[in-house]
Amino acid sequence: MRAPLYPLEGVVSWNMNTTCNYRCSYCTQRFSDDRSRWAADLPRFLEAFLALPGDWELKLSGGEPFRHPNFLEAVQALAAGGRRVSVVTNLSADREVLAAYCDRVRVRPGVISASLHPEYVAPTAFLEKCRWVADRHQGPLVITVVATQALLPRLPAWIAEAEALGLRLKLQPEKQDREVIDYAPEERQALIQLGGHGGTGRIDPNFEGRACWAGSRYFIVDHLGEAYRCYPARRYRSERLGNLLDGSFRLRPSAEPCRYRYCNCVVPQERGMVDAKEPDVRRTHEAE
Ligand code: SF4
Ligand code: SF4
């Protein structure tokens, strides 16, 4: 097991709230409106994120992170502390608020990942808003859409419409009970041809046994401070890293073997934290 090179910039995916103003039919997350702990916990979250050793990017998501009552305050504090800030958002916030976000992350901008939800917004209007935001953001903006079976035939046109505006639209496979739904073989083929999950060229890769820096240079943390190595780790309630708010949080010292048969974490794949170039285990079986 050879580990990829040490990732100079670590990444935290922070699901900072569960609240969302949408109720998408394919949403895999809870969207409760419990606001009780938000304000009280924010200073301790910020302290913990700014104390992480080395260089880190904070990827803010939810729910819908712009619905967090202290969202811009958190962004400002993280940026002032030298962290790169990225966000995963449905982009429903007012343009004034979106512009304020772009301004606060100007010095060290991360990625804006704008998720298109056609049950709530017309794609053409959404793409126009994405263009407006991209013109104000110093970093990249990518668009994602959940590739439900019903939406599959419409995706090529939306991808082309985005491209015409100089934007990139990437797909997310639909999940049920946290597993990719049972696409028909021709649907899987279409998904792969359109780039696979997040442009990785894959739908549900299996990196079991490969060295991965998740747990050391990548981790996820929820709105209660519970930290796990990656999303599959949280799904199985294994490889918990402790709680960020009670002092029990510990990063692992190095890369360790992946224990999961389905990796839905695009960040470690994109950032070279796991060797995603070799054919994955499932593909090898499929080819046999
Ligand atoms: S916008 Fe995202 S978090 Fe909100 S309901 Fe839709 S899928 Fe869920
Ligand atoms: S599931 Fe993905 S992110 Fe998690 S340890 Fe395996 S390769 Fe790394």
Side-chain angles (χ1 to χ4, degrees):
M1 184 191 75
R2 214 178 58 198
L5 289 177
Y6 177 82
L8 291 176
E9 188 174 72
V11 183
V12 188
S13 289
W14 181 21
N15 293 109
M16 65 190 299
N17 61 328
T18 57
T19 309
C20 188
N21 50 327
Y22 292 174
R23 296 287 184 271
C24 303
S25 58
Y26 44 74
C27 185
T28 56
Q29 302 183 41
R30 292 176 300 125
F31 29 65
S32 78
D33 288 322
D34 176 15
R35 295 165 179 249
S36 54
R37 293 185 55 181
W38 285 350
D41 290 341
L42 189 61
R44 282 192 294 155
F45 270 113
L46 296 175
E47 191 184 335
F49 290 136
L50 295 179
L52 290 171
D55 211 4
W56 286 83
E57 170 182 341
L58 263 293
K59 199 171 156 80
L60 309 178
S61 66
E64 169 49 45
F66 277 86
R67 304 294 288 189
H68 190 294
N70 306 101
F71 175 70
L72 286 178
E73 185 187 320
V75 168
Q76 174 123 6
L78 292 168
R83 299 307 189 202
R84 189 187 305 283
V85 179
S86 294
V87 69
V88 181
T89 171
N90 62 27
L91 216 71
S92 60
D94 292 343
R95 292 185 190 223
E96 191 184 334
V97 176
L98 292 165
Y101 170 84
C102 295
D103 190 51
R104 279 165 175 73
V105 302
R106 181 169 295 275
V107 174
R108 204 161 170 228
V111 180
I112 295 180
S113 187
S115 49
L116 164 61
H117 299 288
E119 293 170 1
Y120 284 90
V121 58
T124 299
F126 184 81
L127 294 176
E128 185 274 321
K129 192 171 185 184
C130 287
R131 186 63 262 167
W132 188 90
V133 174
D135 288 339
R136 280 148 188 84
H137 183 48
Q138 300 299 311
L141 179 146
V142 297
I143 305 165
T144 63
V145 65
V146 176
T148 64
Q149 286 166 302
L151 289 183
L152 261 176
R154 303 174 67 185
L155 297 178
W158 293 346
I159 290 171
E161 199 175 337
E163 273 174 8
L165 291 169
L167 300 167
R168 176 132 191 241
L169 192 153
K170 297 180 178 183
L171 310 182
Q172 291 178 335
E174 183 178 2
K175 287 185 275 178
Q176 244 170 30
D177 300 327
R178 306 190 177 185
E179 300 290 339
V180 172
I181 61 166
D182 211 5
Y183 287 106
E186 60 274 17
E187 291 172 332
R188 285 184 69 89
Q189 194 57 37
L191 268 172
I192 297 283
Q193 277 171 357
L194 293 171
H197 183 184
T200 61
R202 289 168 165 151
I203 298 172
D204 45 4
N206 181 346
F207 303 126
E208 196 176 5
R210 280 184 209 177
C212 177
W213 284 97
S216 175
R217 299 299 288 161
Y218 175 70
F219 66 95
I220 65 159
V221 59
D222 69 14
H223 64 299
L224 302 174
E226 286 289 294
Y228 287 87
R229 183 184 188 189
C230 59
Y231 284 108
R234 188 175 70 182
R235 186 160 73 236
Y236 295 112
R237 294 286 184 261
S238 66
E239 301 196 89
R240 181 176 175 269
L241 303 179
N243 188 291
L244 222 57
L245 304 182
D246 68 8
S248 62
F249 173 75
R250 296 287 180 276
L251 283 169
R252 295 184 169 176
S254 60
E256 293 182 14
C258 169
R259 299 186 189 174
Y260 309 99
R261 296 179 66 82
Y262 161 38
C263 176
N264 63 323
C265 299
V266 172
V267 169
Q269 297 178 50
E270 280 182 338
R271 311 291 174 97
M273 294 187 188
V274 61
D275 183 359
K277 292 198 183 82
E278 292 299 313
D280 64 52
V281 177
R282 184 175 294 102
R283 278 181 152 192
T284 307
H285 290 333
E286 280 174 354
E288 283 167 354

